[in-house]
C-alpha cells in the first residue's frame, strides 16, 4: 500500500486498510526484533527528533529504539532541557527543529492539539506520541497488534468482539484513540467508570456506558484498564481511593465474569492495586508486557511508512 499521510495525529484519520497495512508491517519488524541482529537499514540517512515535553518511559524509549533499529539517527529533547523553559513557544520550537532538516518529529505534550498544531506548521512528518486527553494513536495501534496476536492473527476476528475500557476515561487519550480504532474493526466497545470520570460527550461515542463493573465486564473478550491520572484530575472526582479500589479495581474475581479466555491490557504505567490487582497484572491473562514489545514494532512500522511515503 502506498502511504499517503504526512503525519500520524490520531487513529480517527486511518482507514481499516491503513490500519491493516501498519499492523502487517509491524509483524515483519516484530520478527526482526526477535533476531540476534535487530537491524534494518531502510531509514539510513534519515533523522527522527523525539520531542517529549511530558514524561514517558515506554513511548519515548520505543520510538528511539524503533528509529535506531531502522538505522535512522534519533535525537531526543524535552521541554525542561530546551529553550521552551526560557519561554520559546511551540511553533518556534518546531520551526527551529525543522530547520535542522529532520524527516520526522515525534511529539508528546500535555496540551490537546499540540501535535496537530505542529503538523500544520511544519513540512516534515509529525507523529503524535500523546497530546493531553486527546489522542495516542501508536498506543491504540500497538493495543490492536497485541489483540490480533491472540485473536487468530486476523483483523477479521475483531468483528463482533466486545472490549471493555475501564477506569479514568475522562482523562484518557488512550481510551479515545482505541475507541476510534476498534470501532473501525467492528468491535463493540463498553466503557465503565464512576460518572465523574466519564467524558461529558460519552453518549456520542457509540459505546455502551456503565458505572458498575459487575454489569460492564459480563462476557467481554478483553479489558483495557486505564491508569488513574491523578496529575490531570481535579480534587474530589472520587469519594476516596479506597472507595474507587473497592468498586473498580480489576481483580481475578471480576475478570471471571468475562469470557473464559478474556485478556487484560494496560497502556502503563500502572498503579498496581488501584486500577488492577497486582497478581492479575502478572498473570497469564495479562498482555501488558506483550504490549510493550509490540510498541517497538508498531513504531517501526509508523516511522517507515511516514518517512518513506511517496511524495
Ligand atoms: N503508555 C504510555 O504512553 O506509556 P509512557 O507514558 O511510559 O510512554
Amino acid at each position: 500500500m502506498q502511504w499517503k499521510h504526512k503525519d500520524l495525529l490520531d487513529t480517527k484519520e486511518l482507514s481499516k486498510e491503513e490500519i491493516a497495512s501498519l499492523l502487517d508491517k509491524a509483524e515483519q519488524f516484530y520478527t526482526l526484533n526477535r533476531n540476534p541482529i535487530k537491524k534494518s537499514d531502510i531509514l539510513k540517512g534519515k533523522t527522527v527528533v523525539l520531542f517529549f515535553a511530558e514524561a514517558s518511559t515506554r513511548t519515548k524509549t520505543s520510538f528511539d529504539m524503533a528509529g535506531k533499529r531502522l538505522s535512522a539517527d534519533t535525537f531526543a529533547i524535552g521541554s525542561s532541557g530546551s529553550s521552551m523553559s526560557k519561554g520559546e513557544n511551540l511553533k518556534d520550537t518546531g520551526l527551529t527543529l525543522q530547520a535542522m532538516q529532520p524527516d520526522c518529529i515525534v511529539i508528546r505534550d500535555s496540551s490537546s492539539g499540540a501535535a496537530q498544531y505542529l503538523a500544520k506548521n511544519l513540512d516534515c512528518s509529525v507523529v503524535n506520541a500523546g497530546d493531553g486527553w486527546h489522542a495516542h494513536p501508536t498506543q491504540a495501534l500497538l493495543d490492536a497488534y497485541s489483540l490480533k496476536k491472540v485473536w487468530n492473527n486476523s483483523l477479521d476476528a475483531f468483528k463482533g468482539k466486545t472490549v471493555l475500557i475501564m477506569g479514568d476515561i475522562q482523562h484518557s487519550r488512550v481510551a479515545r484513540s482505541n475507541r476510534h480504532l476498534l470501532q473501525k474493526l467492528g468491535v463493540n466497545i463498553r466503557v465503565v467508570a464512576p460518572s465523574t470520570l466519564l467524558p461529558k460527550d460519552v453518549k456520542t461515542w457509540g459505546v455502551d456506558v456503565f458505572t458498575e463493573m459487575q454489569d460492564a465486564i459480563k462476557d467481554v473478550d478483553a479489558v483495557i484498564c486505564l491508569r488513574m491520572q491523578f496529575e490531570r484530575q481535579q480534587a474530589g472526582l472520587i469519594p476516596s481511593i479506597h472507595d474507587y479500589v473497592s468498586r473498580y479495581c480489576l481483580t481475578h474475581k471480576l475478570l471471571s465474569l468475562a469470557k473464559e479466555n478474556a485478556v487484560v491490557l494496560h497502556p502503563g504505567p500502572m498503579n498496581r492495586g488501584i486500577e488492577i490487582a497486582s497478581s492479575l497484572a502478572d498473570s497469564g491473562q495479562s498482555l501488558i508486557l506483550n504490549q510493550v514489545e509490540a510498541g517497538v514494532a508498531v513504531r517501526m512500522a509508523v516511522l517507515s511508512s511516514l518517512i518513506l511515503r511517496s511524495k
Side-chain angles (χ1 to χ4, degrees):
M1 163 181 264
Q2 289 291 325
W3 196 257
K4 66 171 196 282
H5 302 281
K6 173 177 89 71
D7 311 299
L8 177 62
L9 304 176
D10 195 2
T11 48
K12 201 159 51 169
E13 71 206 27
L14 297 176
S15 67
K16 190 177 170 188
E17 293 67 35
E18 287 166 338
I19 294 165
S21 160
L22 285 173
L23 299 190
D24 284 349
K25 254 193 187 178
E27 191 66 51
Q28 296 165 29
F29 294 130
Y30 185 91
T31 306
L32 176 76
N33 289 339
R34 287 192 161 207
N35 282 346
I37 307 292
K38 305 165 178 59
K39 200 82 172 174
S40 153
D41 62 2
I42 61 170
L43 292 186
K44 195 165 181 206
K46 304 292 184 186
T47 305
V48 177
V49 173
L50 309 172
F51 178 30
F52 277 63
E54 210 188 45
S56 167
T57 297
R58 280 147 281 266
T59 314
K60 185 175 175 185
T61 310
S62 60
F63 265 115
D64 196 10
M65 211 173 265
K68 287 189 165 84
R69 286 190 179 166
L70 297 176
S71 303
D73 297 309
T74 65
F75 297 91
I77 65 159
S79 58
S80 63
S82 77
S83 288
M84 283 183 93
S85 64
K86 301 180 210 162
E88 189 164 55
N89 66 26
L90 182 63
K91 182 176 174 184
D92 287 331
T93 302
L95 289 171
T96 300
L97 293 172
Q98 177 169 263
M100 299 178 204
Q101 305 298 324
D103 298 280
C104 181
I105 297 178
V106 180
I107 177 173
R108 168 168 290 190
D109 198 277
S110 57
S111 305
S112 298
Q116 219 155 0
Y117 180 74
L118 213 56
K120 206 174 69 186
N121 285 287
L122 303 184
D123 298 326
C124 70
S125 291
V126 173
V127 178
N128 185 1
D131 62 328
W133 310 352
H134 174 234
H136 193 350
T138 56
Q139 179 68 46
L141 284 162
L142 74 88
D143 290 346
Y145 182 90
S146 307
L147 286 171
K148 185 176 169 229
K149 280 244 174 244
V150 293
W151 289 347
N152 297 333
N153 222 13
S154 158
L155 286 189
D156 292 337
F158 282 59
K159 201 167 164 45
K161 290 272 198 300
T162 303
V163 172
L164 172 64
I165 306 178
M166 53 152 294
D168 186 358
I169 313 283
Q170 163 72 9
H171 303 97
S172 178
R173 53 198 178 206
V174 175
R176 288 172 175 82
S177 286
N178 261 309
R179 167 221 162 191
H180 289 302
L181 189 151
L182 292 171
Q183 283 177 337
K184 283 173 202 270
L185 300 179
V187 171
N188 305 310
I189 299 180
R190 298 180 189 174
V191 297
V192 62
S195 51
T196 47
L197 292 179
L198 287 168
K200 287 194 175 49
D201 66 346
V202 73
K203 287 206 172 90
T204 67
W205 282 25
V207 303
D208 295 315
V209 182
F210 295 83
T211 53
E212 297 301 330
M213 276 293 284
Q214 282 82 353
D215 302 330
I217 202 166
K218 207 167 174 309
D219 296 328
V220 301
D221 296 280
V223 182
I224 300 176
C225 280
L226 299 175
R227 182 171 70 88
M228 279 291 272
Q229 300 200 37
F230 296 110
E231 76 278 18
R232 296 193 213 273
Q233 290 179 9
Q234 305 160 286
L237 289 179
I238 52 170
S240 68
I241 288 294
H242 178 75
D243 177 79
Y244 183 83
V245 170
S246 67
R247 289 181 62 196
Y248 294 99
C249 181
L250 185 63
T251 59
H252 289 277
K253 192 172 168 199
L254 276 171
L255 192 62
S256 70
L257 302 174
K259 292 232 177 93
E260 197 184 335
N261 53 358
V263 289
V264 177
L265 297 90
H266 192 306
M270 282 183 275
N271 297 302
R272 286 179 182 260
I274 294 183
E275 64 263 2
I276 185 166
S278 191
S279 58
L280 184 56
D282 298 331
S283 75
Q285 280 176 285
S286 162
L287 299 185
I288 294 170
L289 294 178
N290 307 52
Q291 291 171 268
V292 177
E293 182 176 7
V296 183
V298 162
R299 287 165 180 138
M300 288 164 88
V302 167
L303 289 178
S304 57
S305 297
L306 263 57
I307 294 174
L308 300 178
R309 76 191 186 283
S310 46
K311 295 175 194 167

